[in-house]
Amino acid sequence: MDGFAQLPGGRRRRLAQGISCRGVGLHSGLTLTLSLLPAPSGAGISFRRTDLGLTIPARADHVVDTRLCTAIGLPGEPQARVGTIEHVMAALAAAGIDDALVEVDGPEVPILDGSAEPFIFLINCAGAAEQYGQRQSLQVLKTVRVEDETGAWAELSPLDDFAFDAELEIAFPGTAIGTQSLGLRVSTASFRAELANARTFTLAEDVARLRAAGLARGGSLANAVVVDGPLVVNPGGLRRPDEFVRHKLLDVVGDLALAGHPIAGRFRGARSGHALNNRLVRALLADPAATRLVTGHALEAVEAPALLAATAA
């Protein structure tokens, strides 16, 4: 079913109906129920902790943690947070859903298989409906760049086309990951074809440390790729030779969706993760001269997948 991809552009889109699933939380190990629900026009995306009765806007200024995932929360209420939101945010953005309420009965979104593909499936099953209100994107007008102390960096710059291009390089020397890069014109079609099924990954040497810190309690070979030096531990291997950089680009799509609107521009980065992605969005929004609102949805401007460049070594 491709119902949500076939609607004509212009009006805002919500889910046509609610849909739910259950799965384990990557870090908490809890079995959690997630529901994707329609929301009124202009509501944007928000997360509701049904166990706490609290709603958190999915915005960059509500991000409270970026160490191992992207987590949002409410000021002054440390218990009011939802973690690991990046995969479902990427799926909603790529599917062209402007308004949705994401309900979860615990502290994080279920990890499912570690990719965005199950969320695309859920959105696809729920379908989409148009509603009153104009779709808008943030057009990047000037280059905004952030860096960290390791030399990793990320930037957004203007693009001649009304679209979103993303290029990323990652480097994990001495492992099966190595150095990988990928450039992609991100659209509804290309996200599904090139990024959606790329799974999260970790190094075997980090697993024990994470669990000792009370994290990764729900992690397994069913929901993450585990790399042990030159080896991929998962019996089924990789879904693609460059699955690692594809997943990192998937994360970029989800993290940048916290700008509140699709971004029309070019993203480039080297070794960028959740922290730099969030800093980049905050820097973009902090500069009134860096963007303007324009009509339309940038990720739906291109119908065909378009790989710009790809390398893996």
Side-chain angles (χ1 to χ4, degrees), residues 5 18 50 146 180 205 238 248:
T50 58
V146 294
Q180 299 184 349
E205 63 201 63
L238 298 174
K248 287 292 191 179

Side-chain angles (χ1 to χ4, degrees), residues 200-230:
T200 192
F201 60 91
T202 189
L203 302 181
E205 63 201 63
D206 292 336
V207 172
R209 177 180 57 82
L210 292 172
R211 289 186 170 163
L215 300 169
R217 293 175 177 174
S220 72
L221 296 180
N223 55 40
V225 176
V226 177
V227 175
D228 189 0

Side-chain angles (χ1 to χ4, degrees), residues 23-211:
V24 66
L26 177 62
H27 295 299
S28 67
L30 298 172
T31 299
L32 303 158
T33 299
L34 175 89
S35 298
L36 303 177
L37 303 171
S41 179
I45 310 298
S46 59
F47 287 74
R48 182 167 179 81
R49 281 284 300 268
T50 58
D51 56 325
L52 301 177
L54 297 171
T55 301
I56 309 167
R59 297 202 316 257
D61 60 344
H62 278 73
V63 171
V64 295
D65 197 349
T66 55
R67 288 171 295 175
L68 295 168
C69 67
T70 295
I72 54 174
L74 294 176
E77 300 188 61
Q79 81 285 1
R81 59 179 280 161
V82 180
T84 323
I85 68 167
E86 57 271 16
H87 304 163
V88 68
M89 285 297 299
L92 288 165
I97 300 298
D98 301 291
D99 304 301
L101 176 63
V102 183
E103 290 190 343
V104 63
D105 62 352
E108 62 181 322
V109 171
I111 191 64
L112 302 180
D113 77 342
S115 78
E117 195 167 53
F119 297 113
I120 288 287
F121 174 78
L122 291 171
I123 296 166
N124 203 23
C125 290
E130 290 188 342
Q131 59 184 353
Y132 178 79
Q134 188 68 51
R135 319 181 85 187
Q136 292 181 306
S137 295
L138 275 176
Q139 182 184 10
V140 179
L141 300 178
K142 70 177 192 180
T143 299
V144 175
R145 182 182 174 105
V146 294
E147 301 181 18
D148 69 16
E149 64 280 358
T150 72
W153 58 272
E155 70 175 27
L156 283 162
S157 58
L159 186 66
D160 290 338
D161 298 333
F162 181 64
F164 177 60
D165 286 354
E167 302 174 41
L168 182 66
E169 179 180 272
I170 63 172
F172 291 79
T175 73
I177 304 168
T179 298
Q180 299 184 349
S181 64
L182 182 68
L184 184 71
R185 173 151 292 184
V186 182
S187 66
T188 297
S190 70
F191 183 86
R192 291 178 177 179
E194 307 292 346
L195 303 181
N197 74 343
R199 296 163 294 174
T200 192
F201 60 91
T202 189
L203 302 181
E205 63 201 63
D206 292 336
V207 172
R209 177 180 57 82
L210 292 172
R211 289 186 170 163

